[in-house]
Amino acid sequence: MKPVDGAAVALVTGAARGIGAATTRRLASAGWRVVAVDIGDAPDAAPYPLATREQLSTVAAEFPGAVVDVVADVRDADALRRAVATAEDEFGRLDAAVACAAVMAGGTPLWEATDAEWSALFDTGVAGVANLARAAVPALLRSPHGRFVALASSAAHHGLWHLAGYNAAKHAVVGLIKGLAADLRGTGVCATAVSPGSTRTDLLAETARLYDLESMEEFASHQLHERLLDPDEVAAVVAFLCSAESSAITGSVVHADGGFQP
Ligand SMILES: NC(=O)c1ccc[n+]([C@@H]2O[C@H](COP(=O)([O-])OP(=O)(O)OC[C@H]3O[C@@H](n4cnc5c(N)ncnc54)[C@H](O)[C@@H]3O)[C@@H](O)[C@H]2O)c1
């Protein structure tokens, strides 16, 4: 994947592990500069462990001078504005913003869901995406090929059992992207979503735990590939949408789901 124009610059949230880390590695390996954002050590941010500060530093250290790590909580709009400023200060511009950060919660019927679960899903998974858009779009409008990419999910297109809050949050991400793309009409900046199927990450391990499964591998049977996706396979799609070559796509969803069927 060629960078947009010389050393293109991306900001990726949720960059310490999983699909966000794979996206950071893909872009940096292709010559991009990347501001890699994650929450740092925040033991109470979700009912299961999120990424550590050390995991974020480890991803950045693989690309000295090309990836800068920034601890920021996507629920904090000002922190994301500072992260965008870091991209422009360190690397001179911002060409792509990728919203990967989200959390998983559920495992019960909706009427038994807690307030904390609902807040976690929407504050991080929806408001966090909007916060990134509000912080990044002014800078993306200064790029010749600005791109905003958000991770939705197969849960944005189906009602998955005992995941109504996650379903709702991911449907909201798709709605946000469609509205953002409409607002970006005529600017050349594209807004897209990627909907992965079951991908081998800590978030999927948490989903397996909520379902009382012995292993996340049990999700493989829901995909035509009959295997889980690797985070790098999803990152390849995200990286394409970050590139200038994706200019025909805006306001829509790319399904990177291995043929997911509920
Ligand atoms: N893994 C899958 O099967 C799957 C399927 C469909 C969609 N997705 C989506 O892909 C995206 C990436 O998920 P993943 O599977 O790589 O999960 P993951 O748990 O491995 O990574 C999520 C990252 O987001 C970070 N994060 C969480 N809350 C944050 C906050 N408030 N501020 C900053 N960072 C925060 C975590 O620390 C972690 O590094 C998510 O939007 C997820 O909903 C994943």
Side-chain angles (χ1 to χ4, degrees):
M1 190 67 53
K2 285 263 185 325
V4 171
D5 179 15
V9 182
L11 187 158
V12 180
T13 70
R17 72 184 189 194
I19 295 167
T23 299
T24 300
R25 291 188 174 104
R26 273 242 162 212
L27 291 172
S29 299
W32 288 63
R33 305 289 184 257
V34 183
V35 175
V37 172
D38 211 287
I39 197 167
D41 298 309
D44 299 327
Y48 62 100
L50 298 181
T52 62
R53 178 70 183 92
E54 191 182 349
Q55 284 177 292
L56 181 63
S57 308
T58 300
V59 173
E62 291 171 27
F63 304 94
V67 176
V68 169
D69 51 334
V70 170
V71 171
D73 187 328
V74 299
R75 296 171 295 183
D76 179 348
D78 286 337
L80 289 180
R81 286 192 191 95
R82 289 193 293 274
V84 169
T86 298
E88 294 196 304
D89 292 346
E90 294 275 333
F91 301 130
R93 53 199 276 186
L94 185 69
D95 303 289
V98 182
C100 283
V103 297
M104 171 55 71
T108 64
L110 175 64
W111 56 92
E112 293 174 14
T114 64
D115 291 347
E117 179 184 321
W118 197 260
S119 299
L121 289 166
F122 276 78
D123 293 353
T124 300
V126 184
V129 178
N131 287 342
L132 181 63
R134 294 190 297 145
V137 167
L140 296 177
L141 287 166
R142 293 189 279 274
S143 163
H145 305 285
R147 303 283 183 261
F148 188 88
V149 184
L151 273 292
S153 170
S154 296
H157 313 285
H158 303 280
L160 303 182
W161 183 70
H162 282 183
L163 291 179
Y166 188 73
N167 290 321
K170 290 302 187 181
H171 277 72
V173 169
V174 172
L176 188 156
I177 286 298
K178 288 180 178 176
L180 176 61
D183 289 348
L184 289 166
R185 183 187 186 100
T187 66
V189 178
C190 299
T192 52
V194 175
S195 283
S198 295
T199 307
R200 190 174 288 101
T201 70
D202 291 284
L203 185 145
L204 191 67
E206 174 63 7
T207 315
R209 192 190 67 77
L210 294 174
Y211 277 0
D212 285 327
L213 301 180
E214 281 191 7
S215 155
M216 66 171 121
E217 298 299 327
E218 293 188 38
F219 290 116
S221 63
H222 291 279
Q223 300 185 156
L224 295 179
H225 279 341
E226 295 190 343
R227 62 171 176 81
L228 300 183
L229 297 175
D230 185 84
D232 187 56
E233 294 179 273
V234 179
V237 177
V238 176
F240 168 69
L241 291 173
C242 289
S243 74
E245 288 86 350
S246 71
S247 55
I249 309 173
T250 194
S252 60
V253 182
V254 176
H255 295 258
D257 63 7
F260 177 86
Q261 298 170 331

